[in-house]
Amino acid sequence: MASTKPCTGLQSVAANGVQNMKSQPISKRVRVAVIEDDDSVRQALSFQLRTAGFEVAAYSSAEELLEASDAKEFDCVVADIYLPKMNGLQLQEELNRTIPYASIVFITGHGDLSLGMHAMRKGAVDFLEKPVDERALLSSIARGADISRRRRAERSQLVGLEQLHRSLTSREREVFTLITSGLLNKQVAAELGTTERTVKAHRASVMVKMDAGSLADLVRMAGVLQIHSS
């Protein structure tokens, strides 16, 4: 039987944050990785986030997260910036290199504005001081998850389009590039030294192979693939 207990303030903030992720429908709970070397702080953070409705995995070091088999599945990483061995900034650099769609929220017990500004210039969602304000943390995680899911979807779309584009013949790629740059069939034919009829045949093949329903779809795909006619 479903619980009729009212949401706490934390749960309300988390729920509102998740519901505001407009770029993608939320099909599963937001997954958060907590990295904190202080056992008591790590346990408290994990409990707080689970209570707010997030799925949480806790780690005592950056290395533990990077070695996890599901490291790429997290929607947001919450990490102390002063970690042993690999610190937070080094972790951020590694995530930017290996999981470019990952988002990270830093927490710290030592306020350092310049360090925080550096982290945010590198893409951090937020830089929060301990004791962490609960509403600020949940709001930052919701924003970070939104960013990660959008980036992951964009990355997946790009990989899929690259695979479709590789299925084209060299001539079909030329036609694809020219027609998405705005040229008419007869102009493409003149450019390639062939007939308009042949261009139409190649264009039809491109539409099928790229799974495009219209020229507008092809133009959008060219934009995603960053294909432009010189």
Side-chain angles (χ1 to χ4, degrees), residues 75-213:
D75 296 304
C76 187
V77 175
V78 177
D80 190 318
I81 202 162
Y82 291 104
L83 293 167
K85 296 182 180 179
M86 178 183 286
N87 63 37
L89 291 180
Q90 292 170 325
L91 169 63
Q92 182 183 25
E93 185 176 341
E94 183 64 14
L95 289 176
N96 286 342
R97 186 181 69 82
T98 59
I99 316 175
Y101 46 76
S103 65
I104 188 165
V105 174
F106 282 119
I107 57 176
T108 178
H110 312 279
D112 187 330
L113 182 59
S114 62
L115 192 64
M117 292 300 292
H118 176 77
M120 294 182 74
R121 280 196 298 269
K122 293 291 185 178
V125 176
D126 215 336
F127 187 84
L128 305 172
E129 291 187 42
K130 299 176 184 176
V132 179
D133 179 82
E134 295 168 333
R135 287 180 175 271
L137 176 60
L138 296 180
S139 176
S140 295
I141 290 173
R143 284 190 288 115
D146 185 26
I147 291 169
S148 288
R149 290 186 172 190
R150 180 164 19 92
R151 287 175 178 169
R152 187 182 288 115
E154 291 170 351
R155 176 62 182 168
S156 177
Q157 179 190 41
L158 175 60
V159 170
L161 288 178
E162 287 174 340
Q163 291 176 338
L164 293 178
H165 189 255
R166 284 195 294 270
S167 73
L168 302 180
T169 66
S170 58
R171 180 45 62 95
E172 286 170 347
R173 291 175 190 171
E174 291 176 324
V175 170
F176 176 89
T177 300
L178 293 172
I179 63 175
T180 55
S181 70
L183 296 185
L184 301 174
N185 289 337
K186 62 181 180 180
Q187 293 172 314
V188 174
E191 182 76 19
L192 298 179
T194 188
T195 66
E196 186 174 350
R197 182 176 179 179
T198 299
V199 169
K200 286 181 178 179
H202 285 311
R203 176 171 173 162
S205 180
V206 169
M207 296 284 286
V208 171
K209 289 184 178 181
M210 295 300 296
D211 195 23

Side-chain angles (χ1 to χ4, degrees), residues 48-61:
Q48 174 189 344
L49 297 181
R50 289 191 182 101
T51 300
F54 297 114
E55 185 177 329
V56 182
Y59 304 92
S60 60
S61 68

